C-alpha cells in the first residue's frame, strides 16, 4: 500500500496498462481522473507503455476528446501544470464512441484495445473505470465478460474500479455484489471510497500506529467519547435528482463516516496488507451494535434544511426549492447517529456521527474527548472545574492535528486555561496539489487493494444503517424542514449529546498559517 506517498519519491512506476474509462464524457473524468493521471505522470509513476481509452456515447474522435480534456486541465491542476508532462499524457489519450448496452460494440472494443496494445506495448493489462450510474455496472461487466475482457491470465490482469453508491440498502448492495461476482473474482473488483484517498484519513493510521505514545491511551479507560463531523456548507447543487433517492444517510454514513470510524477504532493490523487492514476494519463494523427500532428513535436524528443565510451573508434557498427536488420532499439532508461497540477496547464509549448539507462550515474532523482528571487537586484555588482534554484530527480543510489541554494561566493565583497544541500539515509538508484519486488509481494499477472496499465491508456498512432506514421509511418526518441553512443542523442533533451530558464540540476552523 502506498501509504503517505503523495510525493511518491521512492515509488516505482506502475506496470504497462490501459485505463479504460466508461462514462468518459462526464464530469469526473475531466475534474478528477485526468488531473490525477497528470499528477501521477508528473511524479513519473505512469509507465511509458500507458494509454487511456475514454468511452461514451458522445460523438468524438481522439482529437476532439483530447481538446475537451485540454480545455479543462489547467483549471484542475493549477500551478503545477507543465506543458511537457501534459503533452506526454495527451498523446496517450484515446476515445471510442460506444453504446454500453450493445453487445457488438464490445467486439469493437476488443479490437480497439488490441490495436492500442500493439501500438503502446500495454501488454493486455486493463483497468476499467466505471464512471457510470450503478444501474449499469452489472450490464457493462456482463458484456465485458462475454467478450473475454475480464479474463485474466498469468501474463495480464483485468481490474474494475467502481464508484459508489454501492447499492441503496443492504439487499441492493448484496444484489450488486452478486452481479459483479458473475464475471469477476472479488480481487478484480476495486470499490472506491474517495475518503480512503485522503492523506489525512490515511494519517489516522500513521498517527496511531507509528507513534508509541498514542495507543496506551486509545481505549475506554481514557477516552470518554468520539465525535465525527462531516459538515458541508454546500447544498445539493445540480445533484437534486440523485440526492432525492439517496439522502444524507445513504450518501455519507455507510461509506465515508464509517471509514473514519473504522480507522479510529480498529485494532493494530499485523501489516498494511489489504487483507490484514480490511479484516480489522470489518471487525470494528461487526462490533457496532445495530440499533433496535426503539433506539433509532433516540439515537438517530434526521433533518432537512430550509432557506437561510450562510455565514458569508449569502441567502440560500430551501432544499425543497432545489432543482430536481420534490417540493414536499421527505429526503433528509442531515443525519446524526450515536453508535456503540461491543468490544473490549470500546465498550461504553459512544461514537457520535453527524453529517449534513448547508451547515455553517465546510469542515470534517474527528474529535476524541479524553476523560477528565479523576480529581481536582487544585482545591482552595480559583479552579472549579477542569476542561476535558480533546484531540482533534482535522481531516479537511487546514488538515492537521490539535491537542487541547489545560495550562496554568501565568500569574500569582492558580487559574487554568484551555490551550492548544496545533500541527498543520501545510506548515511541515507544504501544499501538494492532488485530487485524492492519485494514490487510489496508482494502487489499483499495482494490484494493491488496501485502500479499496471489500464486498463484506460494504455490506456491513449497510447492515449498520439498515435499521435506521427501516424506521425512517416507516415513519415519514413530520417537521421538515427542521433547520435553517447556515446552522449546525436540527435541535434534536444537540439533544443526542446533551441527553448524555455531553456537547458537540464548538467548531472553530483555524486558519492555515502558511510557511
Ligand atoms: C460524496 C457525496 O461521496 O462525497 C457528496 O456523494 C459529498 O454528496 C461528497 O458532497 C463529500 O466529499 P468531500 O471529499 O468533499 O468531503
Amino acid at each position: 500500500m502506498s501509504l503517505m506517498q503523495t510525493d511518491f519519491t521512492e515509488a516505482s512506476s506502475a506496470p504497462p496498462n490501459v485505463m479504460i474509462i466508461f462514462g468518459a464524457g462526464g464530469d469526473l473524468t475531466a475534474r478528477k481522473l485526468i488531473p490525477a493521471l497528470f499528477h501521477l505522470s508528473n511524479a513519473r509513476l505512469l509507465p511509458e507503455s500507458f494509454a487511456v481509452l475514454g468511452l461514451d456515447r458522445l460523438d468524438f474522435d481522439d482529437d476532439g476528446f483530447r481538446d475537451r480534456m485540454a480545455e479543462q486541465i489547467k483549471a484542475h491542476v493549477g500551478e503545477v501544470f507543465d506543458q511537457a508532462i501534459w503533452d506526454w499524457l495527451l498523446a496517450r489519450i484515446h476515445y471510442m464512441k460506444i453504446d454500453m448496452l450493445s453487445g457488438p460494440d464490445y467486439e469493437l472494443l476488443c479490437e480497439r484495445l488490441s490495436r492500442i496494445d500493439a501500438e503502446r506495448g500495454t501488454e493486455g493489462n486493463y483497468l476499467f473505470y466505471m464512471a457510470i450510474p450503478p444501474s449499469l455496472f452489472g450490464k457493462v461487466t456482463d458484456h465485458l465478460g462475454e467478450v473475454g475482457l475480464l479474463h485474466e491470465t498469468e501474463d495480464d490482469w483485468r481490474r474494475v474500479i467502481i464508484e459508489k453508491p454501492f447499492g441503496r440498502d443492504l439487499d441492493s448492495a448484496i444484489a450488486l455484489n452478486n452481479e459483479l461476482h458473475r464475471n469477476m473474482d472479488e480481487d478484480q473488483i476495486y470499490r472506491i471510497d474517495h475518503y480512503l484517498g485522503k492523506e489525512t484519513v490515511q494519517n489516522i493510521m500513521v498517527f496511531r500506529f507509528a507513534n508509541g505514545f498514542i495507543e496506551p491511551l486509545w481505549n475506554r479507560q481514557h477516552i470518554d467519547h468520539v465525535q465525527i463531523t462531516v459538515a458541508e456548507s454546500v447544498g445539493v447543487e445540480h445533484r437534486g435528482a440523485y440526492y432525492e433517492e439517496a439522502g444524507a444517510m445513504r450518501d455519507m454514513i455507510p461509506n465515508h463516516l464509517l471509514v473514519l470510524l473504522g480507522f479510529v477504532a480498529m485494532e493494530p493490523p499485523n501489516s498494511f496488507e489489504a487483507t490484514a487492514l480490511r479484516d480489522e476494519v470489518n471487525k470494528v463494523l461487526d462490533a457496532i451494535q445495530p440499533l433496535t427500532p426503539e433506539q433509532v428513535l433516540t439515537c438517530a436524528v434526521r433533518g432537512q434544511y430550509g432557506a437561510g443565510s450562510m455565514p458569508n451573508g449569502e441567502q440560500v434557498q430551501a432544499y425543497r426549492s432545489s432543482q430536481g427536488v420534490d417540493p414536499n420532499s421527505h429526503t433528509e439532508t442531515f443525519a446524526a447517529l450515536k453508535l456503540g461497540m461491543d468490544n473490549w477496547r470500546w465498550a461504553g464509549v459512544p461514537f457520535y456521527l453527524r453529517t449534513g448539507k448547508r451547515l455553517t462550515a465546510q469542515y470534517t474532523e474527528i474529535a476524541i474527548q479524553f476523560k477528565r482528571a479523576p480529581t481536582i487537586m487544585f482545591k482552595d484555588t480559583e479552579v472549579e472545574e477542569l476542561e476535558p482534554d480533546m484531540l482533534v484530527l482535522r481531516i479537511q480543510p487546514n488538515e492537521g492535528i490539535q491537542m487541547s489541554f489545560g495550562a496554568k494561566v501565568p500569574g500569582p493565583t492558580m487559574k487554568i486555561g484551555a490551550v492548544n497544541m496545533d500541527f498543520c500539515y501545510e506548515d511541515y509538508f507544504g501544499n501538494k496539489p492532488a485530487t485524492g484519486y492519485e494514490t487510489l488509481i496508482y494502487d489499483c494499477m499495482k494490484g494493491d487493494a488496501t485502500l479499496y472496499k471489500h464486498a463484506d465491508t460494504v455490506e456491513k456498512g449497510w447492515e449498520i444503517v439498515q435499521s435506521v432506514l427501516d424506521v425512517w421509511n416507516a415513519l415519514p418526518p413530520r417537521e421538515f424542514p427542521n433547520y435553517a441553512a447556515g446552522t449546525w443542523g436540527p435541535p434534536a442533533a444537540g439533544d443526542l449529546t446533551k441527553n448524555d451530558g455531553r456537547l458537540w464540540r464548538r467548531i472553530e476552523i483555524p486558519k492555515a498559517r502558511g510557511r
Side-chain angles (χ1 to χ4, degrees), residues 351-367:
F351 282 69
Y352 301 99
L353 277 51
R354 63 175 167 170
T355 182
K357 302 267 184 207
R358 284 284 185 228
L359 300 183
T360 316
Q362 188 80 21
Y363 184 67
T364 298
E365 71 163 34
I366 301 166

Side-chain angles (χ1 to χ4, degrees), residues 422-455:
D422 204 340
F423 150 69
C424 286
Y425 265 78
E426 200 179 338
D427 293 348
Y428 283 81
F429 304 116
N431 192 1
K432 295 206 174 75
T435 63
Y437 280 74
E438 290 77 4
T439 307
L440 295 170
I441 293 174
Y442 173 74
D443 281 0
C444 179
M445 289 175 180
K446 302 271 279 189
D448 181 346
T450 312
L451 294 177
Y452 286 87
K453 289 187 138 176
H454 192 273

Side-chain angles (χ1 to χ4, degrees), residues 446-500:
K446 302 271 279 189
D448 181 346
T450 312
L451 294 177
Y452 286 87
K453 289 187 138 176
H454 192 273
D456 292 348
T457 316
V458 169
E459 289 173 21
K460 284 177 199 301
W462 283 115
E463 271 167 35
I464 292 166
V465 299
Q466 191 62 51
S467 52
V468 182
L469 293 174
D470 289 345
V471 173
W472 285 2
N473 204 19
L475 301 175
R478 276 178 294 171
E479 295 165 337
F480 277 7
N482 59 355
Y483 70 98
T487 64
W488 279 109
D495 298 340
L496 203 60
T497 48
K498 246 186 245 154
N499 293 342
D500 296 341

Side-chain angles (χ1 to χ4, degrees), residues 48 50-52 62-63 66 83-95 112 116 119-120:
E48 196 51 37
F50 175 69
V52 176
D62 282 1
D63 284 341
R66 286 174 186 160
Q83 191 64 47
I85 302 283
W86 178 238
D87 289 344
W88 181 93
L89 182 60
L90 200 60
R92 288 167 172 74
I93 296 180
H94 306 269
Y95 181 81
R112 183 75 191 265
I116 292 178
E119 283 161 22
R120 291 275 169 213

Side-chain angles (χ1 to χ4, degrees), residues 199-226:
E199 290 290 335
T200 37
V201 174
Q202 296 170 33
N203 190 47
I204 299 171
M205 283 187 292
V206 175
F207 181 64
R208 288 189 54 195
F209 304 133
N211 298 301
F213 72 100
I214 289 294
E215 273 311 289
L217 302 177
W218 211 258
N219 54 49
R220 62 193 299 273
Q221 272 81 37
H222 301 282
I223 291 180
D224 178 73
H225 73 277
V226 176

Side-chain angles (χ1 to χ4, degrees), residues 32 163-165 193-195 198 230-232 234-237 239 242-243 246-248 250-252 255-256 355 357 362-364 395-396 435 437:
K32 301 283 187 190
E163 285 269 346
K164 78 176 226 328
D193 181 323
H194 76 279
Y195 266 58
K198 291 184 194 283
V230 180
E232 295 189 273
V234 291
V236 287
E237 300 176 306
R239 297 164 73 226
Y242 154 77
Y243 203 81
R250 291 187 168 88
D251 189 41
M252 299 295 288
N255 36 65
H256 307 329
T355 182
K357 302 267 184 207
Q362 188 80 21
Y363 184 67
T364 298
I395 305 297
Q396 62 190 20
T435 63
Y437 280 74

